[in-house]
Amino acid sequence: MRDGWEAEAGKWAEFARTPGHDSSHDDINLPALRDLLPEPGRRTLDLGCGEGRLSRFLRSLGHRVAGADASPTMVRLAAGHPDHEPAVVADAAALPFGDAAFDLVVAYMCLHDMDQMPQAVAEAARVLERGGRLCASIPHPVNSAGAFQARDGDAPFLIKGSYLDAAPADWVAERGGIQLTFHSEHRPIEAYSRALEAAGLLTEAIRETRAPDAVVADNPGQRRWQRIPMFLHLRAVKPGGAGP
């Protein structure tokens, strides 16, 4: 998956930076993440920062942000943006930061794209101070285990193969002449829960994100995403510190 995202980096930046190409990010996913974020603290790590759009958003909220991504091209694109935040090329499973360097780690739409997800969660826990938090977003594992059989609001949803077994979950998006392959892996919720447990993190909040009514009003077919969750959001804390 790392090699796949390096190959797609240029297309991803064009896709992510073109208004309207990623409406699920704008209208559904990012607002749900915002609701779980703690207030800005000492330092925030944008894990799997990609071309930097989330780092820029976090800074707009008052966070002091550093980004890390395994793709050299992604980091160059992030650093080359006029409104860039600091970013380094780094393996999420072996971060180049000291213990307790951050009070918040945000893993936004990246854990499912990482070849060594449990090790990445363990590293996120290591670089968190006690009382620090991990906020993460992934495609909901029900979503990545299957597909709707049509695009209308009442379309049936079919699980393909097994929900419980990990499997490749690559898919292709086309917007405005850009064809972008998303390189991902389906994993059940239990896989992420076990990774958090092994890292010593305690889950504080879980949200199964659906399409808001305003999105459905504009596109009635999106009502199908009010029946099946599109994204999964969670917030976990490293025990031993002060409360939020």
Side-chain angles (χ1 to χ4, degrees):
M1 287 187 285
R2 176 187 301 188
D3 293 341
W5 276 108
E6 169 63 13
E8 294 291 309
K11 291 181 181 179
W12 168 248
E14 186 178 359
F15 178 88
R17 294 176 181 182
T18 302
H21 277 14
D22 197 357
S23 58
S24 63
H25 161 80
D26 298 331
D27 301 330
I28 303 172
N29 207 9
L30 193 62
L33 175 74
R34 175 69 185 89
D35 287 345
L36 283 187
L37 287 175
E39 291 300 313
R42 180 168 58 90
R43 174 66 78 178
T44 296
L45 173 61
D46 180 6
L47 184 65
C49 67
E51 57 73 48
R53 68 176 178 179
L54 188 74
S55 292
R56 298 187 293 271
F57 172 74
L58 290 169
R59 189 181 69 176
S60 76
L61 299 178
H63 292 263
R64 297 180 63 236
V65 186
D69 200 284
S71 164
T73 302
M74 291 284 195
V75 172
R76 284 197 297 272
L77 288 163
H81 192 279
D83 193 27
H84 71 274
E85 289 294 295
V88 297
V89 178
D91 185 344
L95 292 171
F97 305 112
D99 295 354
F102 300 91
D103 60 311
L104 175 63
V105 174
V106 182
Y108 179 71
M109 296 299 288
C110 64
L111 292 178
H112 59 295
D113 297 336
M114 293 180 178
D115 299 294
Q116 301 181 76
M117 181 273 292
Q119 294 90 330
V121 172
E123 277 292 272
R126 180 186 65 79
V127 302
L128 277 173
E129 65 182 27
R130 294 193 179 277
R133 284 166 169 80
L134 167 66
C135 290
S137 170
I138 59 171
H140 196 288
V142 169
N143 173 357
S144 61
F148 286 104
Q149 301 306 288
R151 298 184 64 83
D152 60 273
D154 296 319
F157 186 89
L158 177 66
I159 297 291
K160 298 178 178 179
S162 171
Y163 167 83
L164 291 172
D165 295 323
D170 294 0
W171 64 285
V172 177
E174 294 189 38
R175 304 282 193 281
I178 304 168
Q179 186 176 82
L180 173 68
T181 300
F182 288 74
H183 295 276
S184 305
E185 182 169 279
H186 163 77
R187 303 178 179 107
I189 290 176
E190 181 179 347
Y192 295 96
S193 177
R194 285 183 177 273
L196 294 169
E197 291 170 25
L201 298 174
L202 303 179
T203 301
E204 288 187 320
I206 293 177
R207 301 289 184 268
E208 296 179 298
T209 305
R210 66 179 69 192
D213 290 341
V215 170
V216 175
D218 289 338
N219 182 357
Q222 291 290 78
R223 189 168 61 82
R224 65 190 186 277
W225 290 114
Q226 293 188 322
R227 298 166 33 233
I228 298 292
M230 185 176 283
F231 302 108
L232 178 73
H233 287 254
L234 62 86
R235 187 179 67 230
V237 62
K238 185 171 182 176

